[in-house]
Amino acid sequence: MTCLSLNWNQMLSRVHEIFEGERVNVDDLKEIMDAYRSSEMDWKQFALFDEHRYTRNLVDAGNGTYNIIVLCWSEGQGSCIHDHANSHCVMKVLSGTLKETLYDWPKNNKKRGMVCSRTTILERDSVAYISDTIGLHRIENPKHDSTAVSLHCYCPPIEACRSFDENSGRAIPVTPTFWSRNGERTPFIPKSLGSAENN
């Protein structure tokens, strides 16, 4: 597959096309996302921020085998260390700078805690890939004077995953939710009444 240059709609269409087949080549997905050059006009309607935590904003629910999400990172915000529940994730930086820290899967040696295997700085239009075979990771905005936005394609969509305590390696179940869907803020539902839609 060769993708010299794609606009936003072409990129989304090409992603949809490759997921119509029985098998998906992750390298093809990476190439498609790499061929898109970020323009804020394309995705700004999905880029909804929260000053207290990063947000997950659903762009395309896909066909059940994948989804596409815009993540928004205010200054200094970051994720916990987490796995991907046997899902594949291709990520593209749409604006700003992000730092990816990879970790080995925790061993039974609790005194050692989580072991960092690699740190990568990702600038605008950079593309990265993560799966559980590679390890665990944390994404964060290392800048304290600017925001960042990233585009993520998950296949299959992640309905549950685990976060990991950095000091002990203890796993904690997590249910990812969406801050918005198609540019519209999702309603807040208290946990006592059901599954909250905001992350």
Side-chain angles (χ1 to χ4, degrees):
M1 175 178 289
T2 301
C3 304
L4 297 179
S5 179
L6 298 174
N7 63 36
W8 175 262
N9 289 329
Q10 289 171 333
M11 176 192 63
L12 295 179
S13 294
R14 292 292 291 273
V15 170
H16 181 78
E17 287 173 9
I18 67 171
F19 279 100
E20 290 179 340
E22 292 183 4
R23 297 181 64 85
V24 175
N25 186 326
V26 172
D27 288 334
D28 289 345
L29 181 57
K30 290 162 63 177
E31 186 176 337
I32 290 170
M33 292 180 69
D34 186 58
Y36 168 68
R37 289 296 168 262
S38 179
S39 172
E40 185 178 356
M41 291 295 294
D42 295 333
W43 45 261
K44 67 177 183 179
Q45 71 184 94
F46 307 109
L48 305 182
F49 287 83
D50 184 317
E51 62 180 322
H52 301 294
R53 50 192 169 178
Y54 77 95
T55 63
R56 303 175 74 252
N57 305 282
L58 183 66
V59 174
D60 186 346
N63 59 3
T65 61
Y66 76 98
N67 62 14
I68 297 177
I69 303 170
V70 162
L71 273 66
C72 297
W73 315 82
S74 291
E75 297 85 342
Q77 290 180 345
S79 73
C80 57
I81 301 170
H82 60 279
D83 68 8
H84 289 81
N86 294 317
S87 180
H88 301 268
C89 173
V90 178
M91 176 183 78
K92 182 182 184 74
V93 180
L94 298 179
S95 72
T97 300
L98 288 174
K99 175 183 176 182
E100 180 187 37
T101 306
L102 290 176
Y103 295 85
D104 297 332
W105 282 88
K107 309 297 184 190
N108 291 326
N109 183 1
K110 294 183 179 180
K111 293 182 179 179
R112 192 178 183 191
M114 300 295 294
V115 177
C116 172
S117 60
R118 187 174 77 220
T119 298
T120 305
I121 297 298
L122 302 167
E123 303 290 354
R124 181 190 179 105
D125 283 319
S126 297
V127 173
Y129 167 73
I130 183 72
S131 70
D132 288 344
T133 58
I134 294 174
L136 310 171
H137 79 170
R138 166 191 284 152
I139 298 294
E140 57 190 305
N141 177 3
K143 304 290 187 179
H144 292 275
D145 57 359
S146 59
T147 62
V149 179
S150 54
L151 182 71
H152 298 239
C153 180
Y154 295 98
C155 51
I158 297 177
E159 297 183 356
C161 63
R162 292 174 295 173
S163 67
F164 292 80
D165 181 82
E166 188 167 7
N167 295 318
S168 69
R170 184 171 66 93
I172 304 167
V174 175
T175 302
T177 55
F178 297 118
W179 182 256
S180 71
R181 292 174 180 264
N182 302 313
E184 297 292 331
R185 179 71 168 94
T186 51
F188 174 77
I189 303 174
K191 290 183 179 180
S192 60
L193 299 179
S195 177
E197 272 294 315
N198 60 310
N199 76 2

